[in-house]
Amino acid sequence: MSSGPSGTRPVSGRDRTLGFWPCAAAFGALWGLSETTVGAFLHALHLPFTGVLMASVGAGLLVAQRQAMPRRGLSLATGIVAAVCKSMSPGGVILGPMAGILAESVLVEMALLPAPRWLVTALLAGALSALWAAFQKILTHYLLYGGTVLELYLSLLRQAGRMAGIPDSAGWPLLGGLLLCIGAVGALGGGLGRRIGREGLALLAAGMDGRAR
Amino acid sequence: MNPDPAAARRDRVLFLLAAACVVLQFPGSVPLAALSLGTWVLALARLDRKALQRMGRPRFWAVTLLLALATGIVLGPRDLTVLGVPLSRQGLSAGLLMVIRGALIFGIASFAGPALAGRRMSRGLARSGMTSLGGAATVALGLLPELKNRLAGPGREAPLGPRGLRDRVARIHDLAVRAFCETIRVAEELGNASGRASGPRIVVVVGDPGQGKTGLVQDIARRCREAGLPVAGVVQPAVTEEGIRVGYDLLDVATGDRRPFARSAASVAPGSPRYTFESSGWDWAADRIRRGRQEAEVVVVDELGRLEASGGGHLRALRDEVDGDRAGWWVLAVRRDGLAAITQWLGPPEDRIDLAGGVDAAARAADRIVARVRREIPGSGKEEWFR
């Protein structure tokens, strides 16, 4: 039933008839819209872990999309489209968020590759996406300031640990715990995305999505 | 309607200079890094002042200076005292390099982000062989306002009265499900156009500006009319003064009515549109397109370009009218850089004439299309309609 991404032949997904590029365009626009509105608002508030939250939302959106159309490459195409939409965001510094969107879409694509509709892959996709958002901050600083900044961070962490009376051996478990929390937030996003996608498709199939048909 | 060649040249120069400045950073020497930053700032001051203004972000500078200071305090042996604070010369030198490097990369990003953004990026994708992806990105840019309106439409208002956390979570969940459903619906509407097997048949005349799209479309319209077929729609003949194009008019091919539409902008800043449009012209053209759809067998629409690729211009009228069950022929003149997206909005063309193949090939293709339209539309005896 499926055709390659270049084709325009309709593909069935949960009784919905969708095309690959229309689906990428529509969901890319939705992701871009959420990044330029909610994301920009949260960033403006300077709240911590905004990137992690938005990455979880993005992963959830991609997972929901794949419930309707489990085609390979769709998450990646959607990510590229969303990155282009994000580039229309007001303010000059857009390369970082765009790179983040692209990287998250690559990770979600890889996670969903074996089974796009499974809960396990949905959770993995969300977790990877959120962890990337946390890692991207460090990577951005490395690209901006060079390797010295990593030395600085490690040195500051060691000194802060000593001042707080935390032994050096407890550093890695603490870091692991923090990463676990971030991964859990992302996994929650992925899981919710799967649920939202399934509920939405059921509503559409029943004609109960609140719109006259 | 052409891209601004001066702005494109300026961007090329700045991209080359950015690459050179980044290369100068590699040795890790403070004088070389400072030289590259100074060169870049001077280049921006001369060629892109907006990018220079974007560099003035207080948060970035505060974080950068804090990190540099921390480097001077934390890293390396403390062999220097300033205001009673023990510092490291080695750390300060590394911190200074961090500030310079950070400022340069941030400055390059301040220029490169907007220079690559939006429609330029989707055009770049299309040019690099990813035509469908570039088209989808352009379509998505056009969908943004539509999607925003749909998601904020009726039925999305919050119920009145106090609510607990559980209710709020349930409401957010409900909104997410509705957003998903609406997006699926938008995708389906686009997919219906792409997968349309019958109904209106679209012929696109593809070319770059000045290649003769309007002339060819008018020729096809005239020959269809001579064959007794009712023809309607709008074309946009160029208006020239002393051999220079100064704008476009709108011409109703059915009645011959003509009105001014676009004129050269008085002053063209880099990146801004070259023409100013008379806004009522869009409604006038939409009305002609709608009437043509109801009354004619062949509807022509001229000069579909970047604006239409992003969901604006004549596309609004075309989306309403092309997507119907009444079979008919649409002859659309489409600029090459808008073709991928317009195809995704309206569906795949039945046939195409590419003016890149030369005038003779285009004329032969026009013959083929006119013959096909005549063969497939039993249009004899309708000659009175267009008179």
Side-chain angles (χ1 to χ4, degrees):
Chain A
M1 191 72 190
S2 67
S3 64
S6 57
T8 52
R9 194 150 54 92
V11 173
S12 167
R14 295 246 156 183
D15 300 323
R16 311 301 302 174
T17 305
L18 294 166
F20 184 92
W21 294 115
C23 200
F27 277 88
L30 181 65
W31 192 4
L33 191 64
S34 69
E35 285 280 348
T36 50
T37 53
V38 182
F41 176 69
L42 290 177
H43 279 294
L45 292 179
H46 298 308
L47 293 174
F49 297 108
T50 302
V52 171
L53 188 67
M54 288 312 294
S56 307
V57 169
L61 189 143
L62 292 178
V63 169
Q65 177 197 34
R66 292 289 278 269
Q67 305 307 303
M69 190 185 223
R71 287 265 296 274
R72 279 182 189 172
L74 184 59
S75 302
L76 186 57
T78 305
I80 295 171
V81 170
V84 174
C85 292
K86 174 68 182 173
S87 74
M88 298 296 279
S89 185
V93 184
I94 49 171
L95 290 181
M98 283 170 62
I101 289 172
L102 286 177
E104 285 156 22
S105 67
V106 169
L107 290 169
V108 171
E109 182 67 51
M110 282 164 57
L112 296 183
L113 211 55
R117 285 175 172 165
W118 284 13
L119 178 62
V120 177
T121 52
L123 297 177
L124 179 66
L128 285 176
S129 190
L131 286 170
W132 168 262
F135 174 69
Q136 195 192 347
K137 194 84 178 167
I138 299 167
L139 184 69
T140 306
H141 275 203
Y142 174 75
L143 290 175
L144 265 176
Y145 304 117
T148 313
V149 80
L150 299 185
E151 280 178 51
L152 174 69
Y153 284 154
L154 286 173
S155 180
L156 285 173
L157 274 175
R158 263 186 238 114
Q159 290 193 15
R162 264 183 234 127
M163 283 166 74
I166 301 169
D168 282 359
S169 57
W172 289 112
L174 275 176
L175 183 65
L178 178 67
L179 292 180
L180 203 66
C181 286
I182 292 172
V185 170
L188 183 69
L192 278 174
R194 181 174 178 271
R195 187 173 155 185
I196 286 165
R198 290 179 170 236
E199 278 183 26
L201 289 171
L203 282 177
L204 286 165
M208 291 164 63
D209 54 315
R211 289 276 299 267
R213 299 180 76 79
Chain B
M1 293 179 197
N2 287 325
D4 183 355
R9 245 192 330 270
R10 179 204 65 183
D11 285 356
R12 269 197 296 274
V13 168
L14 283 173
F15 272 118
L16 281 173
L17 191 63
C21 288
V22 168
V23 169
L24 273 179
Q25 294 280 320
F26 284 138
S29 124
V30 172
L32 274 181
L35 175 70
S36 65
L37 176 62
T39 309
W40 182 249
V41 169
L42 281 175
L44 286 188
R46 180 135 183 86
L47 297 171
D48 193 348
R49 277 180 185 269
K50 282 185 180 171
L52 192 62
Q53 285 163 3
R54 283 192 291 270
M55 281 182 75
R57 283 203 163 192
R59 190 173 175 226
F60 165 78
W61 290 106
V63 169
T64 304
L65 291 173
L66 201 68
L67 285 173
L69 195 62
T71 310
I73 294 171
V74 173
L75 296 183
R78 293 176 191 182
D79 50 4
L80 181 73
T81 305
V82 178
L83 298 171
V85 180
L87 296 171
S88 151
R89 285 177 201 278
Q90 190 190 336
L92 279 178
S93 171
L96 181 63
L97 198 61
M98 273 170 62
V99 173
I100 295 171
R101 182 187 159 126
L104 177 71
I105 304 291
F106 186 64
I108 290 173
S110 300
F111 152 73
L116 294 170
R119 291 175 183 86
R120 285 189 189 189
M121 194 172 283
S122 49
R123 281 203 300 277
L125 286 170
R127 277 187 200 143
S128 55
M130 292 180 272
T131 315
S132 298
L133 187 55
T138 310
V139 169
L141 288 172
L143 280 177
L144 286 174
E146 185 176 330
L147 203 55
K148 200 172 176 180
N149 286 340
R150 285 198 188 198
L151 296 179
R156 275 71 172 160
E157 296 86 3
L160 296 171
R163 296 191 311 271
L165 181 66
R166 188 183 288 265
D167 285 342
R168 284 177 198 276
V169 170
R171 172 146 178 80
I172 290 170
H173 181 82
D174 184 48
L175 280 174
V177 173
R178 282 180 184 279
F180 173 82
C181 291
E182 205 58 60
T183 310
I184 288 280
R185 196 181 293 283
V186 168
E188 278 185 331
E189 285 168 14
L190 287 172
N192 286 343
S194 301
R196 190 171 41 231
S198 61
R201 277 163 295 181
I202 298 169
V203 175
V204 290
V205 177
V206 188
D208 294 317
Q211 271 194 321
K213 295 187 295 295
T214 302
L216 191 63
V217 165
Q218 282 181 302
D219 184 46
I220 292 172
R222 180 184 53 78
R223 288 162 64 184
C224 287
R225 194 182 296 138
E226 284 169 1
L229 296 171
V231 181
V234 284
V235 292
Q236 290 180 210
V239 180
T240 54
E241 281 176 10
E242 296 171 2
I244 298 168
R245 180 181 291 174
V246 293
Y248 293 88
D249 280 352
L250 280 171
L251 174 67
D252 183 334
V253 297
T255 62
D257 290 351
R258 184 168 176 150
R259 58 177 287 163
F261 184 42
R263 291 292 178 267
S264 296
S267 64
V268 182
S272 61
R274 287 180 61 198
Y275 293 94
T276 50
F277 290 88
E278 193 194 327
S279 56
S280 61
W282 299 115
D283 295 334
W284 189 86
D287 182 56
R288 264 50 185 186
I289 292 168
R290 188 167 54 250
R291 277 168 47 191
R293 162 85 173 81
Q294 289 162 356
E295 297 166 356
E297 296 288 358
V298 181
V299 184
V300 300
V301 183
D302 190 18
E303 204 60 42
L304 304 182
R306 288 179 193 162
L307 197 57
E308 284 75 16
S310 301
H314 296 310
L315 193 88
R316 293 189 195 111
L318 280 172
R319 277 184 81 192
D320 289 342
E321 300 305 325
V322 168
D323 195 17
D325 53 4
R326 183 181 182 275
W329 285 84
W330 293 80
V331 181
L332 309 177
V334 182
R335 272 180 54 162
R336 194 176 307 283
D337 53 7
L339 181 66
I342 289 168
T343 302
Q344 289 193 22
W345 282 114
L346 298 176
E350 181 100 359
D351 209 333
R352 80 183 251 175
I353 302 172
D354 196 329
L355 290 162
V359 179
D360 290 344
R364 281 197 299 276
D367 289 344
R368 183 184 73 234
I369 283 160
V370 171
R372 197 171 161 198
V373 173
R374 287 179 62 180
R375 194 169 58 244
E376 294 185 20
I377 297 177
S380 56
K382 292 184 180 175
E383 292 86 341
E384 296 78 18
W385 186 88
F386 55 85
R387 287 185 180 151

